[in-house]
Amino acid sequence: MKVDLRSDTLTRPTKEMLNAMFCAQVGDDVFGEDPEVNALQVLTAAIFGMEAGLFCPSGTMTNQIAIKINTQPMDEVICDKLSHIYLYEGGGMMFNSGVSPRLLSGERGILTPGMIAENINPEDVHYPRTKLISLENTCNKGGGSFYTLPQIEAISGLAKKEGLKLHLDGARVFNALNRTGENPVEYGKYFDTISVCLSKGLGAPVGSVLLGSHEAIQHAKRVRKVFGGGMRQAGYLAAAGIYALNHHIERLSEDHRRAKILETVLRENNKIQEVIPAETNIVIFKPDPKWKTNKEVLAMLADSGIKGAPFGNEYIRFVTHLDITDEMTAYTANRLSALGK
Ligand SMILES: *Cc1c(COP(=O)(O)O)cnc(C)c1O
């Protein structure tokens, strides 16, 4: 059996999604004339209680545009040291926006108002101006850890008091909402900008949506053009996004249930030294280095048709997603139990 757990970006469109794409009504979106893209932007904004949306090719682009429109060169961005915007966007915030990151050590990527307050610079020419706080929900490198609305509300209160902007990297925000049972429409009250990925757990082939006020999205549209992200008949892709929002949100709990199964068998195996709690669809674990390295364990699993991703030099990451079935999960659990035996 082949089981690819390297990432939730590996999903391929379902037949129904392909059909929705095939039936899309399209136009030139750089002219603002693609009905499917316009509908996706309106739908996503409505879900999160935001005024407007902008469809972009990737979550890296929506994050980078958000940083650009919320800051000026020489400003500082507060984020966790595990943040995607810092670790996995190629140094983009420094290059595209000329800003420095202020890296905090949250609890598995989750920040508190206290930590943030301590790291807001005073008005003094020595320090960069603190301008933006960026949260990641769920936090990828934190093993899919998530924020609840009261935590977000408290950080937003601090941001407003201090005159700071608040961005959400919501690549997996629906995984978080699935766990908390909260209504996404509440998010609109707290964030200036939100990036939502359609191509992760939601299963669309391409795309992310940036959300914000009408004014912010007007500005974002200029930046998207400069970044080369203006797409023409993008409605074929937007149609997949609309299908995903309408059909693939509730099923995320299946991914979470399967991740728990993998976590449980890993915990029972004494060749595995550490397993990070699988709070959503991400399972991160570390084989006992006295036994084998992560690369060696990945090679053993690959011999059984199971693919995971190395996470740093010691850890392995599995991500459950739309294309992982109960049969694949049971097979993987079985192979994981057998490791070292
Ligand atoms: C995947 C991901 C992104 C965006 O990645 P793209 O591959 O550029 O779409 C942003 N933030 C987090 C936390 C992610 O996991």
Side-chain angles (χ1 to χ4, degrees), residues 242-313:
I242 293 172
Y243 183 88
L245 290 171
N246 288 329
H247 298 92
H248 289 168
I249 292 179
E250 298 210 336
R251 63 154 304 286
L252 290 172
S253 43
E254 293 178 31
D255 297 343
H256 300 172
R257 177 174 57 76
R258 291 173 184 135
K260 272 279 163 217
I261 293 172
L262 300 181
E263 180 199 356
T264 305
V265 294
L266 286 163
R267 279 194 194 289
E268 287 163 358
N269 189 327
N270 60 11
K271 291 285 192 279
I272 305 301
Q273 191 176 72
E274 185 188 349
V275 187
I276 294 176
E279 299 197 54
T280 49
N281 68 330
I282 298 174
V283 188
I284 296 176
F285 62 100
K286 179 170 126 180
D288 186 344
K290 292 197 285 303
W291 173 57
K292 289 205 184 313
T293 66
N294 62 346
K295 304 254 162 39
E296 289 167 337
V297 173
L298 281 166
M300 288 168 71
L301 290 169
D303 287 340
S304 305
I306 298 164
K307 288 186 185 168
F311 224 47
N313 291 324

Side-chain angles (χ1 to χ4, degrees), residues 24 33 54 63 79 166 171 270 276 310 325 336:
E33 290 175 6
L54 189 68
N63 281 334
C79 61
L166 185 60
N270 60 11
I276 294 176
T325 62
L336 293 175

